[in-house]
Amino acid sequence: MQSVRLDDNRRLKLYQESTLPVQTGEVRLRINAVGICGSDLHRFRDVTFAGENNKGLVLGHEFSATILEIGKNVDDLQPGDRVAVEPGIHCGACEWCGKGQYNLCVNIKFCGVPPHDGALRDELVWPAHLVYKLLPHMSHDDGVMLEPLAICLHAIDLAHIKPGYTATVLGAGPIGLGTIHLLKQTSGCHTVIASEIIKERLSMAERMGADTLLDAKYTDVVAAVMDQTQGRGVDVVFEAAGQPDTFEQAVEICAPGGRVLLIGIPEDNRIPFSAASARRKGLSLLLVRRSLLTVPRCMQLMNSGLINVRPLVTHHFPLQKAQQAFEWVDRYKDGVIKAVINP
């Protein structure tokens, strides 16, 4: 079996490794497609959180696969089934799992987060209850996009949007773009404003349904949003860039009593904003932790044709060119939005 590991800062290396046996309740997966996530890029750049050690890690948690083998007590899956994968193995025993909040599990083992290896390899053994059969019309790229899209839908759930609301999405990477698309297609949101500094992503935001585009490289985002809303601000803000400027903007452009959904992950582990503005407006600031019960809904939305995020997958690479794939995404080369590696 081949795998790609973080050999050093910004350096990936291909390894030959033995395969693991399949235990009761597990399935062996042939990995077909793995998306590069922003959190993968953090670790590629050797950004660490909570004392993590990234060296030697196999990255990748957005992935789809084909079942090669099933273990004992697996009755609803068969070899040959195409599947998407829930990347977090929650314990099922802690207080938060007991409440049904498995995304907050304190004992979670998350694919591609130290010390647990991820999906950038030929094969992977995974718990059977954490895989979802892809519906017939869904591609493996669709399977990859289910994981980030499920985060977008979870954020929208937390926003409690009502028909006619206005929203701004700060950052038009894959998460921001998925949020824009879901807002316009499923939430009843009347107006969606998108802000981004990369022109290709701003164009994609328009394709995903954004009503107003703000080039943040040349535009005062706060002034522009406040001008468009006659000084009121928007009902909901989705921060999907993880940058100091966008955290500040989120609080400033949100209307009194509104909600700010913080999805972006800052590399310096700090979220700066004006406490006075947030307090005087009585804002609700919610940090989005992965997803919760939204993968099946995203799958149905995809299958129905109501949403289509295939345009977000702009580049494909073989496993042997994982280094190039990460470098291109890191540098936003060739207009890349979502790069997928196909082991």
Side-chain angles (χ1 to χ4, degrees):
M1 179 187 73
Q2 289 187 315
S3 67
V4 168
R5 293 186 178 273
L6 263 173
D7 196 51
D8 205 345
N9 182 16
R10 297 179 185 267
R11 180 58 55 187
L12 300 171
K13 186 176 178 180
L14 196 65
Y15 285 85
Q16 292 289 338
E17 304 187 20
S18 58
T19 58
L20 295 173
V22 177
Q23 305 293 336
T24 298
E26 294 181 334
V27 293
R28 184 188 307 283
L29 302 173
R30 172 71 170 90
I31 308 299
N32 294 107
V34 185
I36 298 177
C37 175
S39 61
D40 293 323
L41 273 184
H42 290 328
R43 295 182 171 89
F44 177 71
R45 297 167 182 156
D46 201 32
V47 176
T48 59
F49 301 99
E52 295 173 350
N53 180 11
N54 295 323
K55 189 171 177 59
L57 184 69
V58 177
L59 295 169
H61 61 269
E62 303 173 352
F63 64 107
S64 60
T66 301
I67 294 178
L68 292 178
E69 180 185 354
I70 61 173
K72 293 180 180 179
N73 298 339
V74 178
D75 299 321
D76 56 344
L77 297 167
Q78 296 295 329
D81 286 344
R82 301 177 312 118
V83 297
V85 183
E86 161 57 51
I89 303 175
H90 47 278
C91 72
C94 70
E95 176 183 344
W96 291 271
C97 284
K99 294 176 180 178
Q101 297 172 303
Y102 63 82
N103 60 318
L104 305 181
C105 174
V106 294
N107 303 309
I108 198 164
K109 300 175 181 177
F110 200 80
C111 193
V113 173
H116 310 291
D117 285 333
L120 278 178
R121 44 181 152 172
D122 293 334
E123 296 182 12
L124 179 64
V125 173
W126 206 249
H129 71 281
L130 296 177
V131 303
Y132 302 88
K133 285 186 187 179
L134 292 177
L135 298 173
H137 295 101
M138 296 180 67
S139 68
H140 279 293
D141 282 356
D142 291 334
V144 165
M145 290 304 299
L146 276 172
E147 198 276 340
L149 200 63
I151 295 171
C152 303
L153 189 55
H154 178 48
I156 291 172
D157 285 349
L158 293 174
H160 297 304
I161 291 172
K162 297 179 180 179
Y165 268 24
T166 56
T168 296
V169 179
L170 301 172
I175 293 290
L177 290 165
T179 301
I180 290 167
H181 196 45
L182 285 167
L183 284 170
K184 291 301 295 183
Q185 294 298 106
T186 69
S187 76
C189 199
H190 178 264
T191 301
V192 177
I193 303 168
S195 169
E196 174 57 59
I197 62 173
I198 299 172
K199 63 179 182 179
E200 292 88 354
R201 297 186 173 200
L202 208 55
S203 296
M204 187 61 75
E206 183 175 29
R207 186 173 176 181
M208 290 293 106
D211 300 289
T212 300
L213 307 175
L214 301 178
D215 188 333
K217 186 178 286 188
Y218 304 106
T219 304
D220 183 329
V221 171
V222 173
V225 172
M226 298 309 287
D227 180 65
Q228 181 165 334
T229 59
Q230 293 77 50
R232 175 185 180 275
V234 292
D235 297 294
V236 184
V237 182
F238 296 87
E239 194 292 320
Q243 299 298 319
D245 288 350
T246 48
F247 289 128
E248 292 278 7
Q249 292 165 5
V251 168
E252 297 304 322
I253 65 177
C254 196
R259 290 188 171 223
V260 176
L261 287 300
L262 302 173
I263 315 174
I265 301 174
E267 287 198 349
D268 65 356
N269 205 28
R270 294 288 184 273
I271 298 178
F273 60 86
S274 169
S277 291
R279 184 179 66 253
R280 288 168 184 167
K281 292 181 181 181
L283 300 182
S284 297
L285 283 83
L286 302 171
L287 283 84
V288 180
R289 177 65 167 170
R290 296 174 180 148
S291 66
L292 181 63
L293 301 173
T294 49
V295 170
R297 288 162 57 197
C298 287
M299 192 178 297
Q300 291 297 337
L301 290 169
M302 281 185 179
N303 196 57
S304 70
L306 186 61
I307 61 171
N308 176 22
V309 292
R310 288 183 182 179
L312 304 189
V313 179
T314 55
H315 293 70
H316 290 86
F317 299 84
L319 189 66
Q320 293 77 9
K321 292 189 176 181
Q323 179 71 38
Q324 179 185 346
F326 271 79
E327 288 176 354
W328 280 33
V329 176
D330 188 37
R331 300 170 186 171
Y332 307 107
K333 189 173 179 179
D334 194 40
V336 61
I337 295 177
K338 173 63 72 177
V340 169
I341 295 173
N342 300 110

